[in-house]
Amino acid sequence: MHKDIEKVLVTEAQLHDRVKELGRRITTDYAGKSLLLVGVLKGAAVFMSDLMREIELDVETDYLVVSSYGLHTEAGELTFSKDVSVDIAGRDVLIVEDMIDTGTTMHRLLEVLAERQPNSLAVASLLSKPARREKEVETRYIGFEVPNEFVVGYGLDFAEKYRNLPYVGVLHPECYR
Ligand code: IMP
Ligand code: MG
C-alpha cells in the first residue's frame, strides 16, 4: 500500500466486480440503442476505460473537462475547458463521473447538457458521498457510497497525485494539511 494512504476503502477486486456488474446492467438497459459515453476528465478516466470494456454494445466515447471554479459561490458558473466534440441532440447519453460529492457540478452539468436535447441523459458515478449532498442529482448507476472522507485512487486525485493507485483509499490527513 502507498505510504500516504491511511486505509483502503474499496479494493482492486471490489472495483473490478462492481464495474463488471454496472457494465452488465448498462448493457441490458441500453440494448438496441446507440450509447454515447461521456467521461468527465480527469477523474473519471480510469473508471471510464474499465467500464466501457464491460459494456457489450456498440458505444461511442467522448470526454469533457469542466472547471468548477467559483461553482460554490452565488455567481458560480460551470465552464467547459473542453466540451464534447459531438452533437448530443437525439443521442442516448451516459455521463461517466468519478464522484458525486456536494452534487453541485453534476447538477449544473445535467442542466447544461439537457438543454441540448439528448434523447436520454443519465449518470454513472463510481463513488458518491451522500452525507455531503447539497444539490439533488439522480444517479442511475453508482459504484460505491463512501463516508465523508477525502479519498484518492482509481482516477481520483489530491493535487494531481494518486490517480494511478489501483484501489480507492483515504489519504492520511497530514498529506493534505
Ligand atoms: P461536487 O461537490 O459534487 O461538485 O464534486 C466535484 C468534484 O470534486 C467531483 O467530481 C470530484 O472530482 C471532486 N471530489 C469530490 N470529493 C472528492 C474526494 O474525496 N477525492 C477526490 N476528488 C473529490
Ligand atoms: Mg470529477
Side-chain angles (χ1 to χ4, degrees):
M1 193 168 79
H2 194 289
K3 62 172 173 45
D4 295 349
I5 300 299
E6 187 175 75
K7 62 172 183 266
V8 173
L9 280 186
V10 191
T11 66
E12 209 171 336
Q14 287 172 321
L15 286 163
H16 179 263
D17 290 353
R18 186 68 177 146
V19 170
K20 223 178 163 59
E21 190 185 327
L22 292 179
R24 268 199 302 266
R25 278 177 50 200
I26 292 166
T27 301
T28 305
D29 294 352
Y30 287 89
K33 294 188 171 159
S34 138
L35 176 61
L36 174 62
L37 292 176
V38 174
V40 182
L41 293 177
K42 301 175 198 173
V46 179
F47 177 43
M48 173 87 161
S49 69
D50 282 347
L51 182 65
M52 70 167 84
R53 284 176 285 176
E54 301 295 345
I55 300 173
E56 293 178 30
L57 299 170
D58 291 333
V59 299
E60 196 178 325
T61 61
D62 205 345
Y63 297 89
L64 56 80
V65 183
V66 285
S67 129
S68 53
Y69 182 78
L71 198 64
H72 296 260
T73 65
E74 282 297 329
E77 255 309 311
L78 194 69
T79 55
F80 288 97
S81 325
K82 185 213 167 298
D83 202 341
V84 289
S85 37
V86 293
D87 183 6
I88 66 165
R91 302 294 307 269
D92 291 294
V93 178
L94 181 60
I95 307 173
V96 180
E97 174 63 300
D98 58 350
M99 160 80 77
I100 312 289
D101 185 22
T102 64
T104 316
T105 306
M106 189 53 71
H107 182 87
R108 186 64 191 130
L109 182 58
L110 284 169
E111 282 179 347
V112 171
L113 294 183
E115 280 168 21
R116 300 177 189 177
Q117 310 196 319
N119 183 54
S120 70
L121 183 60
V123 179
S125 182
L126 175 71
L127 304 172
S128 171
K129 276 186 212 167
R132 295 249 311 158
R133 204 73 88 248
E134 290 168 16
K135 286 273 170 44
E136 271 319 304
V137 175
E138 196 197 320
T139 307
R140 189 177 299 165
Y141 309 97
I142 295 181
F144 301 88
E145 291 194 343
V146 294
N148 185 10
E149 291 181 285
F150 196 83
V151 301
V152 295
Y154 198 72
L156 291 96
D157 74 310
F158 173 69
E160 296 302 327
K161 240 175 119 178
Y162 313 110
R163 293 192 197 275
N164 59 322
L165 299 181
Y167 47 82
V168 174
V170 178
L171 206 53
H172 276 300
E174 54 264 36
C175 296
Y176 54 83
R177 263 193 215 113

